[in-house]
Amino acid sequence: MSSSKPPSIVIVGAGPAGVRAAETLVAAGLHPIVVDENVRSGGQIYRQPPEGFQRSKKTLYGFESAKADAIHQSFNALRAQVDYRPETLVWNCDAGQLDLLHQGRHQILDFSHMILCTGAMDRIMPFPGWLLPGVYTLGAAQVALKAQGCVIGGRIVLVGSGPLLYLVAYQYAKAGADVVAVLDTASFSGKLRATGALLRQPLTFAKGLYFIGWLRSRGIRIVEGVDNIAVSGDLKVRQITWQRNGKSEQLECAAVAAGFGLRSETQLADLAGCAFEFDSLNQQWLPVRDAAGRSSVPGIYLAGDGSGIAGADAAELAGQRAALALLQDMGKPVVLAQAARIDHALQGIQAFRRGLESAFPVPVHWAREAADDLVICRCEEITAGELRRSVQHADTIEMNRLKALTRVGMGRCQGRVCGAAAAEILACASGKTVAEVGRLRGQPPVKPFPVASVMLAQQLATSSQELP
């Protein structure tokens, strides 16, 4: 980063964290570049439908409609003061430079400072039948509803763990979908034990209770403490079975939405050279950051769920805080009392977050106990048995060696879907902890994209260099 050049500040992501970061920087007189994959701002949580769709914010976001509207309005007010680049994928990051893809064209964007607000995606735990047509993630089911006003169809069963399970069930039932059951892997007793921590945010806690009560009042079955879930069918989902207290049950259904909490999207921080550490609360390797959002790399800041799952409210605060840290580091005036208030609020949310993780544990034993023929990596069709055999026959005890020997995580998703389950299997088979087996190193492109666009850019660059 050269001090002789004006700062080029990039914010990746236009969700709650990115919008509040941009707002803070603009208020300080700066003109950041905001790059976002989506067509419109709002991120996943406050995703906006395409222009022309006629659904009210109250219908789309329910209790959170005021917050969603505030984010959308805030960003609309900023549009003239930021360099906004929607529908743009950041697929690689080097020192001071991003590789972008917009409308099939490759672009390079230099930066002096960057705030990564990359969000999160569903955490997946494979189970028998998870690759059948008709099985979706909870996040995908919610995107279909928000973005297109569509439901995943037929008799729907939602399964998994975490607050999103009940929220999506409520949103689907409210939209008129035929939700027949919610199968929660978390137990009632576990939730009861976490009540004290959950009451750190009584309004959020009350909303969760409302969703459950609303679903029960409509006759939608809610089963807690379920285990050994399996989906069956020939060419599509026909039935789901599960066990509870040692007894098996089954339901006829046409679609299943499954999710087991969220995992942070950390690939760009990895490619940027940020240091990582294993976070026991999120059960994931996360980029190291201080309380203000500074990463281990000078000039790179982290905010929102992309640096640790904490929810939309925390993302707004973290976006503001990271922008204030950036301003401080640039030597610009910052109201320290404002930063202290944000720090205090984030600490309170973190205590609530610990309660959620305790109430809704991820059923990692599903991966550890998976049958040898269960496909874990759907891109490369790698089974649990192949992963175990690598430990038995090649003494594999580390994730990147497992990847090299089996090709797990080497496909289109780059381990974003299968990585967590593969790590659990490796840890169990090798007698290590998940932290000890390490993490898959990030590789560009972080998401699939047409190679032809980059090849064309390279050809054009080569041609221009050869001109006399």
Side-chain angles (χ1 to χ4, degrees):
M1 290 176 288
S2 170
S3 58
S4 62
K5 294 181 179 180
S8 174
I9 304 171
V10 176
I11 299 170
V12 179
V19 171
R20 294 306 179 205
E23 187 177 55
T24 304
L25 296 177
V26 167
L30 299 176
H31 186 80
I33 302 165
V34 180
V35 183
D36 190 48
E37 275 187 70
N38 294 314
V39 178
R40 304 176 72 186
S41 64
Q44 297 291 353
I45 183 70
Y46 301 135
R47 175 182 290 274
Q48 299 187 72
E51 296 282 359
F53 271 59
Q54 301 297 320
R55 298 190 78 208
S56 69
K57 282 190 167 58
K58 186 67 179 175
T59 302
L60 282 168
Y61 311 112
F63 290 124
E64 310 303 324
S65 60
K67 293 179 182 176
D69 189 53
I71 287 291
H72 300 156
Q73 294 298 329
S74 293
F75 194 69
N76 289 341
L78 293 172
R79 290 284 294 270
Q81 301 165 82
V82 301
D83 180 352
Y84 177 41
R85 305 189 185 188
E87 295 185 90
T88 302
L89 171 68
V90 182
W91 63 268
N92 189 24
C93 179
D94 285 319
Q97 190 175 82
L98 296 174
D99 287 286
L100 312 179
L101 187 73
H102 174 67
Q103 296 183 347
R105 295 180 64 86
H106 175 246
Q107 302 169 350
I108 290 176
L109 177 62
D110 295 326
F111 67 88
S112 61
H113 302 74
M114 177 166 66
I115 303 178
L116 289 172
C117 308
T118 45
M121 63 176 285
D122 293 276
R123 185 191 293 262
I124 307 299
M125 278 293 133
F127 50 86
W130 75 293
L131 299 180
L132 270 175
V135 179
Y136 299 77
T137 65
L138 285 174
Q142 193 181 46
V143 167
L145 186 64
K146 286 182 181 175
Q148 299 292 334
C150 298
V151 299
I152 57 178
R155 287 167 55 83
I156 302 167
V157 174
L158 296 103
V159 58
S161 177
L164 188 62
L165 178 68
Y166 292 98
L167 174 61
V168 175
Y170 169 78
Q171 291 172 332
Y172 260 59
K174 190 92 173 173
D178 184 12
V179 178
V180 294
V182 177
L183 307 180
D184 188 347
T185 59
S187 67
F188 176 76
S189 59
K191 294 170 191 167
L192 200 60
R193 286 193 295 272
T195 301
L198 296 176
L199 285 172
R200 295 291 297 266
Q201 290 197 328
L203 186 58
T204 305
F205 182 62
K207 287 175 185 173
L209 293 179
Y210 174 83
F211 293 148
I212 293 172
W214 190 94
L215 291 165
R216 289 191 190 280
S217 71
R218 267 65 179 179
I220 296 171
R221 190 177 179 193
I222 296 176
V223 188
E224 295 172 299
V226 302
D227 203 359
N228 295 325
I229 284 176
V231 175
S232 58
D234 37 30
L235 298 178
K236 59 178 294 187
V237 172
R238 298 290 184 195
Q239 186 181 75
I240 184 167
T241 61
W242 70 92
Q243 289 185 336
R244 182 175 182 274
N245 295 330
K247 295 181 180 178
S248 294
E249 291 192 64
Q250 62 186 45
L251 265 177
E252 301 297 318
C253 61
V256 171
F260 304 90
L262 301 173
R263 59 167 293 281
S264 302
E265 293 275 43
T266 60
Q267 303 95 315
L268 290 178
D270 197 358
L271 295 176
C274 297
F276 276 62
E277 64 183 359
F278 188 77
D279 185 280
S280 57
L281 176 63
N282 290 270
Q283 285 293 298
Q284 186 190 353
W285 288 85
L286 294 175
V288 175
R289 62 187 170 105
D290 69 9
R294 296 180 182 89
S295 78
S296 62
V297 178
I300 295 182
Y301 304 80
L302 307 158
D305 283 347
S307 56
I309 306 301
D313 293 346
E316 287 192 53
L317 292 168
Q320 275 183 276
R321 188 65 185 90
L324 290 174
L326 189 156
L327 293 171
Q328 277 183 299
D329 296 345
M330 292 178 68
K332 293 186 176 294
V334 168
V335 179
L336 295 179
Q338 180 189 8
R341 282 195 298 272
I342 294 173
D343 290 343
H344 180 72
L346 286 171
Q347 288 169 6
I349 292 175
Q350 195 67 3
F352 173 76
R353 187 69 211 169
R354 285 193 286 273
L356 277 182
E357 293 296 336
S358 174
F360 297 101
V362 180
V364 294
H365 65 282
W366 286 18
R368 292 177 171 235
E369 299 167 3
D372 278 349
D373 62 352
L374 182 67
V375 171
I376 302 298
C377 171
R378 61 182 181 181
C379 301
E380 297 290 333
E381 298 185 348
I382 308 301
T383 65
E386 290 175 86
L387 301 181
R388 293 187 182 112
R389 284 192 288 276
S390 180
V391 177
Q392 294 164 358
H393 302 307
D395 295 328
T396 306
I397 58 170
E398 194 272 330
M399 280 297 288
N400 291 290
R401 180 170 170 79
L402 185 72
K403 177 180 177 180
L405 293 177
T406 67
R407 294 190 63 81
V408 68
M410 206 174 281
R412 289 166 59 88
C413 88
Q414 292 281 296
R416 295 164 67 232
V417 173
C418 61
E424 294 290 346
I425 292 171
L426 175 57
C428 184
S430 63
K432 305 284 184 182
T433 66
V434 175
E436 287 173 330
V437 301
R439 63 189 178 88
L440 293 173
R441 286 188 292 270
Q443 298 284 340
V446 299
K447 292 182 182 178
F449 75 105
V451 175
S453 58
V454 176
M455 293 179 65
L456 176 61
Q458 290 176 338
Q459 288 173 357
L460 292 173
T462 302
S463 299
S464 64
Q465 290 172 0
E466 291 174 347
L467 289 174

